[in-house]
Amino acid sequence: MKAINLKTEYLDSPMGIDIRSPRFFWNCTEGKSQTAYQIKLYNRNGVLWDTGKIPSSSMVAQYKGGLLESRDSLIWQVCLWDENDMQGPWSETVVFEMGLLKPEDFKAKWITGNYSPNKKKKYPVDCFCKHFTSRELVRARLYITACGLYEMKINGERVGDFIMAPGFTDYNKRIYYQTYDVTPLLKIGENVITAELADGWYRGSIGAMGIRSVYGKQTKLLAQLEMEYTDGTKEHIITDDSWQWSDDGPIRFADMKDGEIVDMSKKPSYSGQAKVTTHSITPTASNNVPVKEQKRFVATLSRTPAGKQLLDFGQNIAGYVEINIDARAGQTLYLQFAEHLDSKGELDMASIQCRAGKPNATPLQEIKIVCEDGSNHYKTKFAVFGFRYAIVESDISFKADHFTSVSVYSDMRQTGYFDCSNPLINQFVENTLWSMKGNFLDVPTDCPTRERAPWTGDVQIFCKTGTYFMDTAAFFRKWLYDLRDRQSSDGKVPCHAPDVRNNEFFAGIDFIKRMDGCSGWADTAVLVPWQLYRMYNDEAFLIDSYSSMKAHIQFQISRTNKTGLFGKPFPKPDKKYISNVGQGFGEWLEPKDVYKASVIQDFCAPHPEEATAYLSYVCSIMTQIAGLTNHPEDIALYEEYRTGCKEAYLRQFTPINTDRQSKLVRPLALGILDETEEKSRVFERLVSTIEKRNFHIGTGFLSTPLILPLLTKMGRTDIAYRMMENEEEPGWLYEVKQGATTVWENWDGTASQNHYSPGSVCEWLFETVCGVRISGDRHFTIAPQPGGSLTQASFSYDSIYGKVACSWKKTGREIEYEVVIPANTTADVLLPEGREEHSLDSGIYKFNS
Ligand code: BGC
């Protein structure tokens, strides 16, 4: 038996982590079960830690050797014993390196451009430069971060491939540095290091309103180059006031949402000196995947009815454009990007902008380039747009192949692959994956255009689907820090984290700013760590978040037993358990024919039905979490509110007499109606409303991921198939038929075209149609449910335990199934015809029915 897919703290060969007792993960191959492992960890002097043979079936082990120090470069490998106690070969070796672990490791000083910024003004990109000499190297490392975005070069070569570095955090609470191996970029003798520093999330426009300078008005850079020479000496080049600075480089303006203004003829003069400044936070390592350039798309060129030159890149993405074009000095290019064409066939900015048509519309999503003579190569550096289309205005005669679009997202490995006989469903799954790619740029966002806001509700809705699609462990671990950083001292969890001042978006209506803490959104504090724990079997997600989750529950409890503004009073004793304070979004975005949102009701008033159901539900999860994380003292409180809220809900909100699907789905799916007579009555009503609606979806944001799994749980997978396969509006496949390449925010496609949350239905395709679920420690349940018009379906998932897969194919009256169970795991296979195979060990199994 051999170990494969080695990872250190969920990362492939990470450089510069600061987890002092990292965990080592692997999968098994060539054998049934692992009975023991041995790990060896080496530093440059030899073996640093040797576990010896450890009897264990676990595919993860935590480092327990001597203290790891800053800059330690380490290598590990693992060897396994199989079910016959046969020792297998040693795995490949993988490397990782510790970052700078102590504040005193940072010798560099924060530097900034030599000007006093005015909040109202916009500035060109700052350019910094430092000349230095180097000798024969053993190794060289560059540690960098910025308040803003940086791009650094050594001797003209870009350092690393992290785009939009250092990523997005609340820079005044947490700031991440990156570590790069720059040994190959340095030469013996003279060297030059240059940096560009742009506004980014720190000073640029963010959130729906495009508010600027949210984190500060002065961008700053911190860099420390450490060179270790063959003669045993070391030398550091640090940012300080010896660095030269100017702001006369080619990028005259850069904003992440608005775009760039570039003069290709300009070269920075570096004629001034950088100014030394300070920052209140010592940088730490993100222990996360970098953001990288990913897939590229070529364009086709046509004219809009109004005569504009239109590029169509074929796929809606978040990213930017690369241009290679010959021009004469002074010729110009103007591009504006959008995801959609309006009904007249023109670029539709209205669906992606706030204040569209007004002078302060945001985001602008445009680039303006003045060319130099000869060949011009331009690639956006400090902006990202949500787009499929661009209009081009230019006095250069250009062709489509002068332009390429480049998608940009956090470098997570794809882990989930689905296919079935319905091409529309396949396209919807593909669209969901693209919406994930379009919204996982260091933080998860609602859409890459209008708001680009890390909305918490969207994350809890999509987390599980996203985690099937791609390995999100490191990404979400980082984001949960962002979430906890924004939680207030009273436990209130925000609607978005990090802050993008999106509350201002609702300022007119949410006039007393009670949006944060909203049920279904703030509950992310519990639901995301819980889902990650279940997908990765990693209690660290729960342990790290426990105090935040507990504080969240306490805050939610503080919203019970009161009547908030615009709230309808509830009688005693139920009032005690009804959450009735604070603004809530409720279900949000139901199809317009089902429910028309009203400003007071849906933006300002409390939502006691939704909030009370969610409080009971998250308390039921907290009861389990408290047990798992050894907090028995808290269980009584969670139990009290789980049952108290449930009983109050039953008395105050049932019987349920409505055709709104969300009102029927929620109490059923969140366990409120369990063990009650109301359960079957409400389910029957749900079934009849779905039939009356002709199998059209009728839910909004919160219940869309719940409805099909609920139908399956209640034994009506047949109805779930009919809803999934419905091709009319409103329904998931309608938008595919309209040519969508990403997922729409609302069912009629009138808002953002790139919102992943309704794509959370993919979870049902993976877990029900193909029946793949992780159901315990190294254990799966495989319970496919063929149905609808499908004649075949397959799903393969590179789980934390290795590749698990299930596919089925109808051949005449028979169905053939194939199940793949990874080494060192077991699975229960439950086929719809009633055949059950329990505790199958690894292998490929075929079944016929
Ligand atoms: C965003 C959503 C978000 C919602 C909150 C919208 O404007 O785009 O994705 O969750 O507001 O209700």
Side-chain angles (χ1 to χ4, degrees):
M1 173 167 265
K2 196 179 166 193
I4 51 168
N5 301 335
L6 275 61
K7 289 201 183 308
T8 310
E9 280 299 340
Y10 294 112
L11 299 163
D12 291 319
S13 306
M15 169 139 309
I17 58 169
D18 64 4
I19 301 171
R20 285 169 182 267
S21 294
R23 290 165 306 164
F24 306 118
F25 295 80
W26 64 91
N27 295 151
C28 301
T29 186
E30 297 164 27
K32 288 281 178 198
S33 30
Q34 170 196 310
T35 52
Y37 69 81
Q38 178 177 5
I39 294 178
K40 281 190 188 174
L41 181 80
Y42 313 82
N43 64 11
R44 43 170 104 161
N45 304 320
V47 177
L48 181 70
W49 184 56
D50 183 346
T51 60
K53 181 178 175 183
I54 307 275
S56 168
S57 54
S58 173
M59 293 183 268
V60 53
Q62 183 154 28
Y63 175 69
K64 294 219 169 75
L67 199 64
L68 298 180
E69 302 284 355
S70 296
R71 309 173 182 87
D72 278 354
S73 184
L74 302 144
I75 296 179
W76 68 277
Q77 61 180 161
V78 56
C79 135
L80 310 176
W81 280 259
D82 69 8
E83 59 281 8
N84 302 315
D85 202 27
M86 278 278 293
Q87 182 174 7
W90 281 95
S91 70
E92 284 175 359
T93 54
V94 291
V95 298
F96 69 100
E97 191 171 303
M98 301 306 285
L100 301 181
L101 306 179
K102 300 185 205 118
E104 54 276 23
D105 289 329
F106 287 91
K107 307 280 182 241
K109 300 191 167 72
W110 286 93
I111 57 169
T112 180
N114 199 350
Y115 59 103
S116 300
N118 173 334
K119 242 182 160 179
K120 293 201 176 118
K121 277 182 71 180
K122 296 180 180 174
Y123 294 91
V125 162
D126 289 302
C127 304
F128 299 91
C129 170
K130 169 87 184 170
H131 291 269
F132 61 99
T133 55
S134 177
R135 300 200 301 280
E136 200 181 327
L137 287 164
V138 177
R139 69 173 203 177
R141 297 288 183 265
L142 183 56
Y143 303 92
I144 328 177
T145 189
C147 288
L149 301 176
Y150 69 81
E151 192 188 279
M152 214 161 223
K153 287 184 174 164
I154 293 182
N155 299 323
E157 292 278 329
R158 191 185 203 277
V159 173
D161 50 6
F162 193 142
I163 309 293
M164 306 293 150
F168 188 16
T169 51
D170 178 338
Y171 302 96
N172 298 317
K173 290 196 174 139
R174 184 182 304 277
I175 185 155
Y176 292 131
Y177 65 89
Q178 283 76 47
T179 307
Y180 300 101
D181 177 1
V182 293
T183 325
L185 301 185
L186 290 166
K187 29 181 217 206
I188 298 173
E190 280 298 311
N191 289 271
V192 61
I193 185 163
T194 54
E196 286 172 288
L197 177 65
D199 293 357
W201 292 278
Y202 184 80
R203 182 168 79 175
S205 66
I206 56 176
M209 305 306 279
I211 295 177
R212 302 179 65 249
S213 303
V214 168
Y215 292 96
K217 55 180 185 166
Q218 188 148 45
T219 50
K220 314 169 202 180
L221 179 72
L222 183 86
Q224 180 159 314
L225 171 64
E226 301 192 354
M227 295 175 289
E228 239 181 277
Y229 298 121
T230 45
D231 61 11
T233 59
K234 292 180 183 167
E235 204 174 354
H236 289 186
I237 299 294
I238 55 168
T239 42
D240 58 17
D241 56 10
S242 71
W243 284 53
Q244 293 160 271
W245 163 85
S246 68
D247 64 358
D248 49 3
I251 309 181
R252 309 308 308 144
F253 169 74
D255 180 276
M256 280 193 74
K257 294 186 87 190
D258 285 344
E260 290 187 348
I261 300 176
V262 176
D263 185 340
M264 303 292 288
S265 66
K266 289 201 180 291
K267 306 278 173 276
S269 65
Y270 306 115
S271 53
Q273 292 301 119
K275 233 173 37 180
V276 167
T277 180
T278 54
H279 190 59
S280 52
I281 300 295
T282 304
T284 48
S286 73
N287 308 315
N288 190 12
V289 291
V291 176
K292 285 192 183 176
E293 289 185 355
Q294 309 280 351
K295 200 171 169 175
R296 288 162 176 262
F297 298 88
V298 294
T300 55
L301 181 63
S302 62
R303 277 202 188 263
T304 69
K308 300 222 157 145
Q309 306 236 56
L310 180 76
L311 296 171
D312 178 359
F313 294 96
Q315 174 63 51
N316 195 21
I317 60 164
Y320 44 67
V321 76
E322 178 160 17
I323 307 173
N324 277 301
I325 201 160
D326 286 339
R328 289 192 311 276
Q331 284 191 305
T332 59
L333 279 159
Y334 168 81
L335 280 86
Q336 187 166 38
F337 301 84
E339 18 181 58
H340 189 230
L341 300 179
D342 64 18
S343 55
K344 295 192 189 113
E346 302 299 326
L347 204 67
D348 178 16
M349 298 309 289
S351 64
I352 58 167
Q353 284 181 328
C354 279
R355 304 182 291 242
K358 302 210 174 107
N360 56 355
T362 172
L364 296 176
Q365 299 216 137
E366 59 185 14
I367 54 179
K368 296 176 184 168
I369 303 171
V370 179
C371 295
E372 60 181 341
D373 216 27
S375 71
N376 286 260
H377 170 243
Y378 165 83
K379 190 166 69 170
T380 313
K381 275 191 192 168
F382 299 118
V384 169
F385 310 124
F387 72 105
R388 168 178 166 171
Y389 301 96
I391 49 148
V392 188
E393 289 167 16
S394 181
D395 49 358
I396 309 168
S397 108
F398 57 88
K399 296 204 293 273
D401 59 11
H402 291 133
F403 304 88
T404 313
S405 73
V406 184
S407 66
V408 170
Y409 52 86
S410 287
D411 197 30
M412 301 164 295
R413 197 169 46 92
Q414 187 173 346
T415 47
Y417 301 86
F418 176 87
D419 178 67
C420 73
S421 55
N422 183 336
L424 294 177
I425 295 184
N426 292 344
Q427 186 63 49
F428 183 79
V429 172
E430 187 64 17
N431 293 359
T432 306
L433 180 57
W434 270 107
S435 276
M436 177 172 185
K437 293 171 177 176
N439 282 293
F440 274 61
L441 198 158
D442 206 51
V443 296
T445 52
D446 59 336
C447 57
T449 48
R450 187 190 65 218
E451 296 179 41
R452 201 181 286 172
W455 280 98
T456 49
D458 306 40
V459 183
Q460 69 87 358
I461 289 168
F462 190 70
C463 172
K464 194 169 180 198
T465 297
T467 300
Y468 275 122
F469 271 124
M470 291 180 142
D471 183 356
T472 61
F475 177 93
F476 277 133
R477 173 175 57 194
K478 178 262 174 192
W479 183 72
L480 285 171
Y481 278 100
D482 298 333
L483 185 70
R484 295 191 293 260
D485 282 349
R486 269 215 77 205
Q487 186 169 16
S488 2
S489 53
D490 61 358
K492 179 155 57 166
V493 172
C495 277
H496 20 81
D499 190 12
V500 289
R501 291 288 163 83
N502 240 32
N503 287 19
E504 322 279 333
F505 180 37
F506 293 88
I509 27 202
D510 179 30
F511 44 86
I512 45 174
K513 304 249 164 64
R514 298 156 304 139
M515 189 201 297
D516 289 339
C518 166
S519 294
W521 272 255
D523 294 315
T524 296
V526 173
L527 298 176
V528 167
W530 177 240
Q531 291 173 27
L532 294 170
Y533 157 70
R534 305 233 297 187
M535 294 295 280
Y536 291 103
N537 191 29
D538 182 356
E539 282 174 13
F541 286 112
L542 304 178
I543 294 165
D544 293 350
S545 279
Y546 190 77
S547 47
S548 146
M549 299 192 264
K550 182 176 170 183
H552 164 66
I553 298 293
Q554 279 159 342
F555 177 80
Q556 292 299 337
I557 290 175
S558 77
R559 288 189 155 185
T560 59
N561 208 13
K562 293 180 184 139
T563 308
L565 187 65
F566 304 119
K568 154 186 162 259
F570 285 87
K572 285 185 178 160
D574 291 340
K575 184 177 179 195
K576 178 165 182 213
Y577 293 104
I578 302 278
S579 171
N580 198 19
V581 175
Q583 182 270 353
F585 294 110
E587 171 69 11
W588 194 248
L589 282 192
E590 289 159 271
K592 291 188 183 108
D593 64 310
V594 171
Y595 178 73
K596 270 221 157 37
S598 87
V599 168
I600 293 294
Q601 184 51 37
D602 296 288
F603 289 86
C604 305
H607 281 74
E609 182 271 297
E610 290 86 346
T612 306
Y614 270 91
L615 183 52
S616 170
Y617 175 58
V618 289
C619 280
S620 73
I621 294 173
M622 285 307 288
T623 309
Q624 300 174 64
I625 294 176
L628 284 162
T629 55
N630 201 17
H631 289 98
E633 68 285 1
D634 296 333
I635 292 180
L637 180 76
Y638 304 143
E639 254 318 284
E640 179 192 340
Y641 279 84
R642 179 185 76 80
T643 50
C645 294
K646 177 177 158 154
E647 280 157 20
Y649 185 103
L650 289 171
R651 280 190 293 269
Q652 296 300 326
F653 302 113
T654 67
I656 303 171
N657 182 18
T658 175
D659 280 336
R660 274 174 80 181
Q661 291 176 8
S662 64
K663 296 276 174 201
L664 302 160
V665 167
R666 184 172 9 269
L668 286 166
L670 303 189
I672 308 297
L673 302 181
D674 285 357
E675 298 109 38
T676 68
E677 282 172 16
E678 189 68 359
K679 186 171 178 176
S680 54
R681 212 191 59 79
V682 172
F683 188 66
E684 275 163 33
R685 179 71 180 259
L686 176 65
V687 169
S688 83
T689 73
I690 295 172
E691 284 167 350
K692 262 200 274 175
R693 259 179 90 68
N694 223 347
F695 301 92
H696 287 288
I697 185 83
T699 49
F701 245 51
L702 290 183
S703 303
T704 294
L706 307 178
I707 188 166
L708 300 197
L710 172 73
L711 287 162
T712 289
K713 197 168 155 206
M714 301 291 286
R716 295 305 306 269
T717 299
D718 58 320
I719 300 182
Y721 266 103
R722 290 195 69 169
M723 293 184 81
M724 180 76 237
E725 292 204 88
N726 201 327
E727 296 176 17
E728 293 159 2
E729 186 192 345
W732 292 280
L733 301 190
Y734 170 72
E735 57 196 63
V736 177
K737 288 193 87 177
Q738 304 309 303
T741 61
T742 40
V743 178
W744 291 352
E745 175 178 14
N746 57 9
W747 298 111
D748 59 13
T750 49
S752 147
Q753 304 274 309
N754 201 354
H755 249 70
Y756 49 61
S757 51
S760 52
V761 70
C762 292
E763 180 185 322
W764 178 82
L765 295 170
F766 308 156
E767 291 191 338
T768 300
V769 173
C770 295
V772 174
R773 269 168 215 254
I774 295 182
S775 51
D777 180 21
R778 297 178 300 105
H779 186 67
F780 302 95
T781 303
I782 313 281
Q785 299 204 34
S789 74
L790 300 190
T791 54
Q792 65 87 14
S794 67
F795 180 57
S796 146
Y797 173 47
D798 295 332
S799 76
I800 189 70
Y801 305 126
K803 185 183 290 296
V804 55
C806 176
S807 58
W808 53 263
K809 189 161 71 192
K810 289 189 177 165
T811 51
R813 279 215 216 127
E814 289 219 318
I815 304 183
E816 286 172 8
Y817 297 91
E818 187 180 283
V819 171
V820 180
I821 306 169
N824 198 33
T825 70
T826 54
D828 296 334
V829 176
L830 315 173
L831 300 181
E833 299 75 17
R835 180 161 175 196
E836 295 192 1
E837 301 273 353
H838 291 277
S839 301
L840 289 177
D841 57 20
S842 72
I844 302 178
Y845 297 88
K846 291 187 192 298
F847 306 94
N848 271 333
S849 68

